[in-house]
Amino acid sequence: MMVMPTGTNHILLVLLLCWVACSRQELAPVQLRLGGPRGPAGEGRLEVLYQGRWGTVCDDGFDFHAATVACRQLGYTAAITWTHSATYGQGEGPIWLDNVRCGGSEGSLAECVHNGWGISDCHHGEDAGVVCSGQRLPGNSPPATTSGHLGEQVLGLTLEEVRLKPILARAKLSMPVMEGAVEVKHNGRWRQVCDASWTRNNSRVVCGMLGFPREKHINTSFYRKLWNRKLKDPNSSLKTFIQKNSFWVHKVRCQGSEPHLARCPVQMAPPAPRQHACPHGMHAIVSCLPGPAVQKGKGKNKTAPGKVLPVRLRAGTHAGEGRVEVLLHGQWGTVCDKQWDLAAASVVCRQLGYGTAKQALVGARMGQGLGPIHMSNVQCTGHERSLGECRFQDAEQSGCRHEADAAVRCHMPYMDFKSQVRLAGGRNPEEGVVEVLVPVQGRLQWGAVCGAQWGLNEAMVVCRQLGLGFASHALQETWYWAGSPDATQVVMSGVRCAGTELALQQCQRHGPVHCPSGGGRFSAGVTCTAHAPDLVMNAQLVQETAYLEDRPLGLLYCAHEERCLSRSADTMQWPYGHRRLLRFSSQIHNLGRADFRPRMGRHAWTWHQCHRHFHSIEVFTHYDLLTLNGSKVAEGHKASFCLEDTNCPEGLQRRFACANFGEQGVSVGCWDTYRHDIDCQWIDITDVPPGSYTFQVVVNPKHEVAESDFSNNVMRCQCKYDGQRVWMHGCHTSDAYGADVVSDLERRERLANNLV
C-alpha cells in the first residue's frame, strides 16, 4: 500500500474542507427582495443578497417555475407571472444569477441550477421581475423591499382598502360615491372609523385614495341626528354593533400628505383594555370634491389655471396614468426619475384632478419622451398645488436621459363604466363585437353598435372603458364573431368620439338610432391590446436638412409613377425640363411600448416594379405646404416602402430590416430614417409663388395602424420661400409647445405678411 506524504494529506484535507464549506454556502438559502417602482405588494424586480451585496437576476432562462420558487421564498403562496427586460427598471450592482433553471419545488432560488454566482453575460436591461399573489404564507412577515409598497405594515397593522358608505339618498344615487361614512378593511373585515379625533387631513388622504383631488368641508349635524335616531330605533342593530371594539377603528392621525391611509399612524383600539373604542362618537363622515374627469365626463388631462406649472400624462394604458410631462419655457418636456417618489407623483395626480398616486414609476415604464428633460431630483411635501411648487434641479445638470423618464399611476374614482360595455364572440377576452347597456324605452337593454363610421377613436374608448388598454383594430364588419343572443338589436349608431372619453356612452351619437346596414355582420367590433406604438417625427432634423433642388425630369420617371409630383408634371414634355423640390430628411421615432408593424401581412404588400420594392403601407406620411390661412398649395406623400430600424439606442438591437424581403416595422425605442436624397422625400413646389408658408408633415395620416397617442403625429414648421432659397424655422410636433407659444408664432407670421 502506498502511503502519501504528510504534507500532501494536509493539502487534501484543506481542499476537502473548502469544498464542503463552499457547497454549503452555495446551497444555503439566500435573501431575496423586490425592487423597482412603488406598486402593489408582491411585485417588482427580483434582487438577491450574496456575499453581503445586493444584485439582480438575468431573465435568460427565467420562467414560471423560477418565479414560483422566488415568490415562495419571499413569503407568498404562489407566482402570478414573471417579467423580463427590466420591466421594473434596471437594477444596480452585480448580476448574481443567470440561466436559472428550477423545477418549482425548491425551497430557495440558490437550490436551482444556474451558471454560478456572478457568472453572466447579461446587462441590467435584462433584469428579471416577478408578480406574486397577494396571499401570504402563514407565519411570514413582509419581505425586504426597496420600493415601499402600499399596504405595507405600519404600526403593526395592515389597512387594505377604504370606501365611503353612502348614507343620504342623493349620495346613494350618485356615481361615483363622493360622500358617506368612512369604512376601512382590516384583516379582511370592514370597520367604521370613530369621528372623535377625525381631522380634515384624514379626509384629504381618504379622498385621494378614492380618486378625488380634494376634500370638502361638511356639516355633520344632520348625520348626527340620523345616528341618534337610529340608536333609539328598537329594530336597529346599530346599538349592539357599536359596543364591540371590533366594529371600530379607534383613531387615525394623518398629516394630509400621505398617499395612502396605511402610511398614517392608526390605533385600532384604545390603550386601556376595557375602554370603549368610540364612547360618545359616531362614524366619521367624508365628502370629496370631484375632479374634471368626473365633472365633465372626459378623460382629457386638464391643468390647473393661474401661474401653476402645467402638467400632462402621455402613453398610459389606462386613464390616470402615463409619462409625466411639464410645460416649461413654452415647451413640453419630461421629468427625470432621480428621487421620484409617491409624494411628487401624488402632486401630479391631484393637479390633474385625480386622487393620490398608486405608483411612482421610474425607468421610462411609460415609454421614453422626445425633446427636453425639464426637471430632476424633484422633492415635494405632498401639499403643493402644482409640481412647479416642489423643489427640483435643472435636468441638464444631472445628466439625465430619456431612459429615466418618470411616470405615474393615479387613484381614479370608481365610475362603474366597465359594467356598461362588453365584448362578445371573440377568440379571447380582448376582442369581439361591441355590446353596450343603454336605456331603451325606459329600461336598460344590451344591444349592438352600428358599424357604419366606426373608427379607431371609438374603439380606443371601448378598450379604455373595459380596462384593456388600447385599440389595435376597429372593425366595421364582424361576420366571423357571433354576438350575444340578447343583444342583436342595434341600440347605438353614428358614434363619434374624440378618443379621450372614459366611456362610449359619453360620445356623440344619433338621437333615434339610424343604421341602414342593420347591424348583424355590420356591427362594430374591436381588438384591444395592453401596449401600443407611438410615432413621433424628429422636428429638429427636418429644420436642419431642408433645401431646394431643381431635378431634371429624366430622373423622375419612377417618382412620377408613384404620384410624388404635382399634377402640372403630367402636362410637361418629358424628359425635358425640371421640377423644383423642397427636400428634407425625416427621422420617425417609436416612443411607444409596442413595435409599430404594418397592418397588412407581407402577402398583401404591393410590389412597385419601378423602384423594385414592396410598399407595406400605401401612404405612411403626408407632406403639405399650407398658406398661413391653412389652404394647401403643394403636397407630397411617402409610401412606407421600407419600415425598418435604421438605428437604435445603446443596448437595443435592430430587429426589422428590409433587405431580402425582411420583416418591416419600427421597434420600441428605435427610429426609421428617410434620407433627403431618396425618391419622394420632398414636396414639389414648382408651381408655388414666393411667400411665407406652413410646412406640415403628418405621420400615419389615415390611422391605418393604432397608436397610443395620435396628438403628436403632426409636425409643423414656419417656412419662407423667396423664389430661390428656402428658410425653415420653428419646427415642432403639434403637442410640443404650449398653445400660447404656437399662437404667438402664427400671429407674428401673419402680421409680417399682412394677413390679419
Side-chain angles (χ1 to χ4, degrees):
M1 184 177 75
M2 185 171 162
V3 179
M4 300 185 75
T6 307
T8 308
N9 284 340
H10 182 69
I11 292 169
L12 286 173
L13 182 62
V14 170
L15 289 173
L16 181 63
L17 289 172
C18 243
W19 178 80
V20 170
C22 292
S23 299
R24 284 179 178 172
Q25 188 180 15
E26 287 285 317
L27 295 175
V30 294
Q31 190 177 342
L32 303 184
R33 73 180 182 185
L34 298 180
R38 295 162 175 82
E43 179 180 332
R45 180 178 61 248
L46 188 59
E47 297 187 353
V48 183
L49 181 64
Y50 181 69
Q51 293 183 343
R53 292 187 67 190
W54 285 101
T56 61
V57 179
C58 180
D59 60 14
D60 290 352
F62 201 87
D63 59 10
F64 188 75
H65 294 302
T68 299
V69 173
C71 286
R72 285 186 176 276
Q73 189 175 347
L74 285 163
Y76 296 96
T77 55
I80 296 174
T81 186
W82 63 279
T83 66
H84 58 87
S85 304
T87 299
Y88 294 99
Q90 297 187 19
E92 297 178 349
I95 299 174
W96 282 127
L97 296 175
D98 188 10
N99 289 311
V100 179
R101 292 280 192 276
C102 302
S105 59
E106 293 85 352
S108 165
L109 209 61
E111 297 176 19
C112 301
V113 177
H114 54 83
N115 286 358
W117 291 98
I119 301 173
S120 170
D121 59 355
C122 301
H123 54 81
H124 281 297
E126 300 172 84
D127 285 344
V130 293
V131 180
C132 306
S133 72
Q135 298 295 318
R136 305 193 56 75
L137 292 167
N140 275 274
S141 58
T145 172
T146 60
S147 58
H149 292 304
L150 290 182
E152 65 188 34
Q153 291 204 349
V154 180
L155 298 182
L157 63 103
T158 303
L159 300 181
E160 299 155 29
E161 292 179 61
V162 175
R163 70 184 181 190
L164 294 183
K165 182 180 179 181
I167 306 294
L168 305 181
R170 60 176 171 80
K172 290 178 180 178
L173 294 173
S174 74
M175 183 57 69
V177 175
M178 293 181 284
E179 184 174 306
V182 182
E183 293 190 331
V184 174
K185 196 174 188 181
H186 170 57
N187 289 340
R189 182 173 178 178
W190 288 101
R191 296 177 177 227
Q192 300 210 349
V193 183
C194 183
D195 75 334
S197 58
W198 190 259
T199 66
R200 192 155 180 177
N201 280 340
N202 295 346
S203 297
R204 174 178 165 85
V205 174
V206 168
C207 289
M209 288 179 64
L210 295 173
F212 303 107
R214 288 179 300 281
E215 78 290 352
K216 179 174 140 186
H217 176 71
I218 184 170
N219 186 348
T220 58
S221 58
F222 184 69
Y223 284 95
R224 171 64 73 174
K225 288 178 183 177
L226 289 176
W227 178 268
N228 292 337
R229 189 185 305 166
K230 210 164 186 182
L231 283 178
K232 293 175 183 177
D233 185 355
N235 297 320
S236 173
S237 56
L238 179 62
K239 197 166 186 177
T240 306
F241 281 126
I242 64 173
Q243 298 304 318
K244 300 176 181 178
N245 280 359
S246 60
F247 180 77
W248 294 106
V249 172
H250 176 58
K251 192 177 289 185
V252 180
R253 296 188 301 274
C254 298
Q255 296 178 353
S257 59
E258 297 88 349
H260 194 286
L261 210 61
R263 298 289 179 90
C264 303
V266 176
Q267 277 184 284
M268 298 304 295
R274 295 187 179 181
Q275 185 180 345
H276 194 278
C278 195
H280 306 294
M282 65 170 190
H283 44 210
I285 302 295
V286 167
S287 183
C288 303
L289 285 170
V294 176
Q295 290 174 314
K296 302 187 179 180
K298 303 288 183 183
K300 193 171 181 179
N301 298 325
K302 303 283 184 181
T303 55
K307 296 182 179 180
V308 299
L309 188 70
V311 64
R312 69 184 183 187
L313 302 182
R314 282 288 182 266
T317 304
H318 308 289
E321 69 175 36
R323 180 177 62 249
V324 179
E325 297 187 357
V326 294
L327 184 64
L328 200 60
H329 310 307
Q331 190 171 6
W332 288 100
T334 60
V335 177
C336 180
D337 64 12
K338 286 186 179 178
Q339 296 193 29
W340 186 248
D341 60 11
L342 277 174
S346 292
V347 171
V348 169
C349 291
R350 287 188 189 273
Q351 183 180 344
L352 291 169
Y354 306 128
T356 47
K358 283 192 289 188
Q359 291 177 277
L361 303 173
V362 299
R365 284 278 302 280
M366 295 291 178
Q368 298 182 24
L370 187 69
I373 302 172
H374 284 320
M375 305 170 78
S376 179
N377 297 93
V378 180
Q379 297 179 48
C380 305
T381 65
H383 288 285
E384 295 87 353
R385 292 182 306 123
S386 153
L387 198 64
E389 295 178 11
C390 302
R391 289 189 298 161
F392 65 91
Q393 292 179 0
D394 193 323
E396 290 183 3
Q397 301 171 0
S398 62
C400 284
R401 300 181 2 171
H402 282 297
E403 290 90 337
D405 283 344
V408 298
R409 284 197 178 104
C410 305
H411 281 116
M412 295 288 291
Y414 177 69
M415 300 290 290
D416 198 31
F417 286 144
K418 194 172 179 179
S419 66
Q420 300 169 25
V421 66
R422 67 190 184 193
L423 303 181
R427 295 162 295 182
N428 55 61
E430 288 77 40
E431 67 178 22
V433 180
V434 178
E435 296 177 350
V436 292
L437 185 65
V438 294
V440 177
Q441 296 179 349
R443 65 182 184 88
L444 288 174
Q445 179 180 325
W446 285 101
V449 179
C450 186
Q453 300 178 331
W454 183 259
L456 267 178
N457 277 355
E458 292 72 39
M460 283 283 189
V461 173
V462 169
C463 293
R464 184 185 301 118
Q465 186 175 352
L466 287 167
L468 297 175
F470 305 101
S472 54
H473 296 95
L475 303 146
Q476 296 184 350
E477 295 184 30
T478 50
W479 55 270
Y480 40 83
W481 288 336
S484 304
D486 65 336
T488 54
Q489 181 183 344
V490 175
V491 296
M492 192 180 284
S493 65
V495 182
R496 272 284 170 268
C497 302
T500 57
E501 294 86 352
L502 296 178
L504 201 64
Q505 286 81 353
Q506 295 174 347
C507 300
Q508 295 179 348
R509 61 182 190 268
H510 289 155
V513 173
H514 176 68
C515 187
S517 58
R521 59 173 286 191
F522 297 103
S523 297
V526 298
T527 303
C528 303
T529 179
H531 304 298
D534 182 21
L535 297 186
V536 182
M537 174 81 76
N538 184 337
Q540 187 63 30
L541 185 66
V542 173
Q543 184 168 311
E544 293 171 353
T545 57
Y547 66 96
L548 295 180
E549 180 192 11
D550 289 336
R551 192 162 181 82
L553 286 179
L555 302 177
L556 292 171
Y557 279 104
C558 284
H560 189 222
E561 180 183 308
E562 294 189 7
R563 307 187 311 281
C564 295
L565 302 175
S566 299
R567 292 187 182 90
S568 62
D570 298 343
T571 59
M572 295 186 70
Q573 296 186 353
W574 291 71
Y576 306 107
H578 66 271
R579 304 295 294 182
R580 175 156 293 180
L581 308 175
L582 170 55
R583 283 186 173 274
F584 57 94
S585 295
S586 65
Q587 188 181 84
I588 300 167
H589 292 248
N590 181 4
L591 302 184
R593 299 169 67 196
D595 298 336
F596 185 92
R597 301 295 308 277
R599 185 181 66 174
M600 300 181 296
R602 63 170 69 197
H603 66 280
W605 295 355
T606 306
W607 173 258
H608 282 247
Q609 181 64 30
C610 190
H611 280 132
R612 301 192 63 77
H613 58 236
F614 283 93
H615 287 189
S616 57
I617 298 178
E618 196 55 39
V619 178
F620 181 51
T621 49
H622 273 163
Y623 306 146
D624 298 312
L625 199 63
L626 313 172
T627 67
L628 299 184
N629 283 330
S631 303
K632 192 181 294 185
V633 294
E635 63 181 333
H637 77 274
K638 183 67 190 171
S640 75
F641 68 85
C642 177
L643 274 176
E644 67 176 3
D645 297 328
T646 309
N647 290 103
C648 295
E650 186 179 348
L652 288 180
Q653 296 294 321
R654 295 174 56 199
R655 295 192 295 112
F656 298 111
C658 300
N660 302 318
F661 193 34
E663 288 291 343
Q664 294 194 23
V666 185
S667 300
V668 174
C670 300
W671 55 91
D672 188 6
T673 302
Y674 294 90
R675 285 174 48 89
H676 56 84
D677 53 1
I678 64 174
D679 265 3
C680 299
Q681 191 58 37
W682 63 59
I683 292 181
D684 183 355
I685 63 168
T686 306
D687 308 317
V688 175
S692 293
Y693 300 95
T694 297
F695 173 74
Q696 176 176 282
V697 177
V698 185
V699 182
N700 192 16
K702 296 182 178 180
H703 294 183
E704 284 190 51
V705 178
E707 298 184 46
S708 61
D709 186 3
F710 288 115
S711 68
N712 53 17
N713 284 34
V714 180
M715 195 267 334
R716 295 188 181 94
C717 303
Q718 302 302 316
C719 176
K720 189 168 182 64
Y721 173 50
D722 68 356
Q724 299 298 324
R725 294 167 297 176
V726 67
W727 292 268
M728 206 89 81
H729 62 95
C731 295
H732 63 279
T733 54
S734 52
D735 69 339
Y737 291 108
D740 54 339
V741 175
V742 175
S743 60
D744 186 54
L745 286 170
E746 293 175 349
R747 184 169 61 253
R748 278 185 287 170
E749 284 294 328
R750 292 166 66 84
L751 288 172
N753 291 275
N754 295 318
L755 289 170
V756 181

